[in-house]
Amino acid sequence: MQDKKVYIETYGCQMNVNDSEVILSILKDAGYVRTEDMGEADVILANTCSIRDNAEQRIWGRIGQFRIQKTKRDVIVGITGCMAERLKEKLLDSHTVDIVAGPDSYRSLPAMLRAVTPDNPQINVLLSHEETYSDITPLRMDRNGVSAYISIMRGCNNVCSYCVVPYTRGAERSRDPKTIIREAEDAFCRGYREVCLLGQNVDSYFWEDPDTPDDNVNFAQLLESVAKVSPDLRVRFSTSHPKDISDEVIYTMAMYDNICSHIHLPVQSGSNAMLEKMRRKYTREWYLGRVAKIRSVIPDCGITTDIIAGFCGETAQDHRDTLSLMEEVGFDSAFMFQYSERPGTLAARKFPDDVPEEVKTARLNEIIALQNRLSLESNRREIGKTHRILIEGVSKKNGNELFGRAGNNKVCVFPAEGHRTGEYVHVRVLSCTSATLISELIR
Ligand code: 5AD
Ligand code: SF4
């Protein structure tokens, strides 16, 4: 019998990209091959995100497209991930979806695919306290073979009042470090030169071995073990939480050249009143203290962030506090969002979503404009500096140029001159835009 073909679309965070790789690995063992052409697939999967309403709206639009496929031929449509977990059987009302599988149910996908019929849709949205897919080698979907994601934990135990993740991904659990290191070694052996360790809050990674309870492993120790896999394997990680990032992690980063000097440290707001309402459990002053610590130990560390505009009750002064904090830190880049109320979250239950849409948009635009200036200023400070770059591919704009990232996460483009993806090169920065460092190779 010919292998069945599975097509998968991924929405949302890096964690979801890695989950798609886990899904593909599970389905490969069940006899499915991946296709990138939806038109020839036997199974269409959308691995979904619920973080903001617009993420979900996009996916509803895609479900409409899948329905058109279904009118043409027999094809199974499955919704996996956060939206599956949040909406459960409501997704079946679309009369398009045959399978609904939450983030902890991927091992049951082959059985669900065997059992599914048009009159018998399958749904598994059980959340687990143990599942980390630790024994599954993800089927890598990256195109360059250079950079691999490794999930080190799942779920989240924080209670940020705006956030749906604890509901869609369940309780926090850490993965056995031995399996993480094995995965990093395996990636390196297959030619990968960078791993990115993923978790909703990597700083709270903690492994207690049931057999040797004294052999605990925290995030700093895990980071060190992964860095020791090879000096030619770069290590990145995401996401750090300002309340939890420890001095030990910062010192470990400084100790190893191959741990990249970049921390993604979402601040969300510069106003203490907002931070309190968001239940972030730190203050503006604490955040600035962490940034000062990072810069005192790793002076050239890239610091990036996430910001939410227009959270419940946000005043003009709260908004100005966010702008002033951005200036004070001088973030290298940021992901910036308008607040989107998520049903069932603490904020949805307790605080009215009372900042008018047009005010949210105006504030977000101001935040984006400021960040564009800060990114440009930060890039201008790079001019004249040299960086070791891991080449990630050919520049989209010019086939004779390559691009890659410096340790601090900034993207550099430079003439190819015979070099290839996956190699390390040294470059000097000549000029910049707010997004890219234009560089030359140094021999
Ligand atoms: N509305 C807008 N942005 C959100 N984020 C999380 N929840 C929401 C929400 N309800 C943002 C935060 C987080 C990033 C992943 O998404 O900034 O750090
Ligand atoms: Fe990732 Fe959060 Fe979106 Fe789920 S809701 S896919 S955890 S960003």
Side-chain angles (χ1 to χ4, degrees), residues 11-13 16 48-51 82 164-165 168-169 200:
Y11 298 85
C13 58
N16 247 20
T48 59
C49 175
S50 292
I51 197 101
C82 291
V164 76
V165 173
T168 59
R169 286 193 166 260
Q200 301 299 340

